[in-house]
């Protein structure tokens, strides 16, 4: 079931006081390369460095006072853990973050710096889920999924909502797709605020479960996770997939070298620090530039939490 326009707009009002209204930037050179007029929504400049702050803030605010008092819990190797910790701190709520031992030390420290109560587990999904379930049982905390939770999805969609308020004439909005929360939220915003604005997902060829699900009509899974776009390895969920299936017009797959080339262009030409996942929709635009020729295209730069000691160029 597709949420109403009113619910989408309410999420925008709820999130706005707690996040940066990130800038929308353009580049004449990148427009020439793409053959389109491109508007980059810079969520790499968001609090904690990614769009995920939006979903965390919206989801926590929708809880009852008793639930807020008990706290929230999630399992995350990075961005959503940081987002939930910071959002919870801003709202005076305890956040329990289960993280795998394989998570970069810098991300674990960032979660702690934001006030998150960290539990380290073995680096398997089973171990993470078990640890989170134990916290729910012991503390009464509410589990929030990073992408397959309607209130998280609505929060993530506020990036596209702002983009369309600033650029109401957009003909396309492009978003990366991993777990599906950002793409589903973007599709909802475009559905209600766009003027016949189509939404297209960008996905690495190496983890193309969303593309295959889009074609087959059912949730698919990846065998490998061999992509530089580490934020896009998650599968779609049963809450976001129906929204994507109904409201997204296409998903374009890109190769690893195309992701790196797009990332390098944005770093060099726009002086913007973005992570590989953020470069995927722009790589998709460049790959199928004929599809977008002379169109006005919004691209969501989803985050900038990149490991500077491990750049691909």
């Amino acid at each position: 079931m597709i949420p109403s326009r009113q619910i989408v707009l309410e999420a925008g009002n709820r999130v706005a006081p707690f996040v940066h209204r990130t800038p929308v930037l353009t580049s004449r050179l990148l427009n020439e390369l793409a053959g389109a007029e491109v508007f980059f929504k810079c969520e790499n400049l968001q609090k904690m460095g990614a769009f995920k702050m939006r979903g965390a803030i919206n989801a926590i605010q929708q809880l009852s006072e008793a639930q807020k008092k008990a706290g929230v819990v999630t399992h995350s190797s990075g961005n959503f853990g940081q987002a939930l910790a910071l959002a919870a701190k801003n709202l005076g709520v305890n956040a329990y973050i289960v993280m795998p031992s394989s998570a970069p030390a810098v991300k674990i420290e960032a979660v702690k710096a934001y006030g998150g109560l960290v539990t380290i587990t073995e680096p398997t999904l089973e171990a993470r889920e078990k640890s989170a379930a134990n916290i729910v049982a012991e503390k009464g905390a509410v589990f929030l999924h990073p992408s397959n939770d309607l209130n998280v999805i609505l929060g993530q969609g506020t990036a596209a909502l702002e983009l369309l308020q600033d650029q109401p004439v957009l003909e396309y909005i492009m978003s990366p797709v991993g777990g599906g929360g950002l793409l589903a939220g973007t599709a909802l915003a475009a559905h209600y605020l766009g003027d016949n604005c189509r939404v297209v997902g960008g996905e690495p060829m190496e983890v193309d479960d969303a593309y295959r699900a889009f074609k087959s009509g059912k949730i698919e899974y990846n065998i490998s996770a061999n992509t530089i776009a580490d934020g896009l390895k998650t599968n779609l969920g049963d809450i976001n997939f129906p929204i994507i299936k109904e409201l997204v017009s296409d998903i374009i797959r890109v190769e690893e070298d195309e992701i790196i080339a797009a990332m390098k262009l944005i770093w060099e030409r726009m002086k913007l620090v973005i992570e590989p996942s953020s470069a995927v929709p722009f790589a998709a635009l460049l790959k199928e530039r004929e599809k977008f020729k002379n169109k006005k295209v919004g691209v969501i730069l989803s985050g900038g939490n990149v490991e500077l000691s491990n750049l691909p160029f």
Side-chain angles (χ1 to χ4, degrees):
M1 182 178 154
I2 303 300
S4 70
R5 176 188 174 93
Q6 184 62 29
I7 287 171
V8 171
L9 292 173
E10 282 171 0
N13 293 334
R14 204 177 292 120
V15 165
F18 296 96
V19 300
H20 294 316
R21 189 180 181 100
T22 52
V24 178
L25 301 180
T26 59
S27 163
R28 181 185 56 80
L29 180 83
L30 296 189
N31 284 350
E32 289 174 6
L33 284 173
E37 199 173 347
V38 188
F39 300 87
F40 294 95
K41 177 64 169 169
C42 298
E43 287 296 290
N44 58 311
L45 302 177
Q46 187 52 264
K47 291 181 180 180
M48 57 68 54
F51 73 94
K52 295 197 174 187
M53 180 70 180
R54 297 174 178 275
I57 278 284
N58 189 58
I60 294 172
Q61 287 186 92
Q62 293 292 83
L63 301 177
S64 68
E65 288 307 311
Q67 288 173 318
K68 288 177 186 174
K69 192 171 181 181
V72 291
V73 60
T74 197
H75 53 78
S76 165
S77 58
N79 281 353
F80 192 70
Q82 293 178 60
L84 193 66
L86 181 57
K89 183 179 182 181
N90 288 348
L91 295 168
V93 172
N94 282 334
Y96 301 92
I97 315 298
V98 177
M99 303 186 76
S101 57
S102 57
V106 66
K107 291 192 174 182
I108 295 171
E109 290 310 310
V111 171
K112 290 178 179 176
Y114 289 139
L117 302 164
V118 175
T119 301
I120 303 295
T121 68
E122 290 297 309
T124 65
L125 181 60
E126 184 183 15
R128 286 160 58 165
E129 288 178 342
K130 184 179 178 183
S131 186
N134 287 342
I135 293 168
V136 170
E138 290 169 16
K139 307 287 186 182
V142 178
F143 180 78
L144 293 178
H145 192 280
S147 56
N148 198 43
D149 177 295
L150 185 58
N151 289 320
V152 171
I153 291 165
L154 289 164
Q156 315 302 32
T158 63
L161 187 151
E162 290 176 5
L163 175 57
L164 284 162
Q165 288 171 340
D166 292 345
Q167 297 292 336
V169 295
L170 290 179
E171 295 162 273
Y172 287 93
I173 298 180
M174 304 185 72
S175 154
V177 56
L182 179 61
L183 184 61
T186 298
L188 285 169
H191 178 63
Y192 289 118
L193 281 94
D195 182 9
N196 197 29
C197 178
R198 284 171 280 189
V199 171
V200 175
E203 185 174 42
M205 193 76 73
E206 292 285 337
V207 286
D208 69 342
D209 61 290
Y211 172 85
R212 287 182 284 114
F214 195 67
K215 297 296 181 187
S216 72
K218 65 181 194 296
I219 293 174
E220 303 281 356
Y221 297 91
N222 293 312
I223 297 165
S224 81
N226 187 28
T227 178
I228 192 173
D230 59 300
L232 306 182
K233 294 178 181 181
T234 324
N235 292 103
L236 300 179
D238 60 350
I239 297 172
N240 59 51
F241 180 52
I243 298 170
I244 291 168
K245 193 164 59 170
E246 184 166 340
L247 300 181
V248 170
S249 67
D250 199 8
I251 294 175
I252 298 170
R253 297 176 295 174
V254 291
E255 301 285 0
E256 295 297 295
D257 60 347
E258 293 169 326
I259 298 170
I260 293 167
M263 180 180 175
K264 189 176 181 182
L265 273 171
I266 291 170
W267 276 62
E268 285 183 344
R269 302 301 176 180
M270 299 190 73
K271 318 305 178 200
L272 288 174
V273 174
I274 62 163
E275 59 195 78
S277 301
S278 290
V280 170
F282 185 54
L285 169 55
L286 294 175
K287 182 169 189 166
E288 296 201 12
R289 53 172 61 80
E290 283 304 310
K291 180 186 181 85
F292 305 102
K293 193 175 178 66
N294 299 323
K295 302 293 187 185
K296 291 181 169 60
V297 185
V299 173
I300 297 180
L301 298 178
S302 53
N305 292 328
V306 66
E307 212 173 330
L308 292 174
S309 60
N310 193 28
L311 291 178
F313 45 75

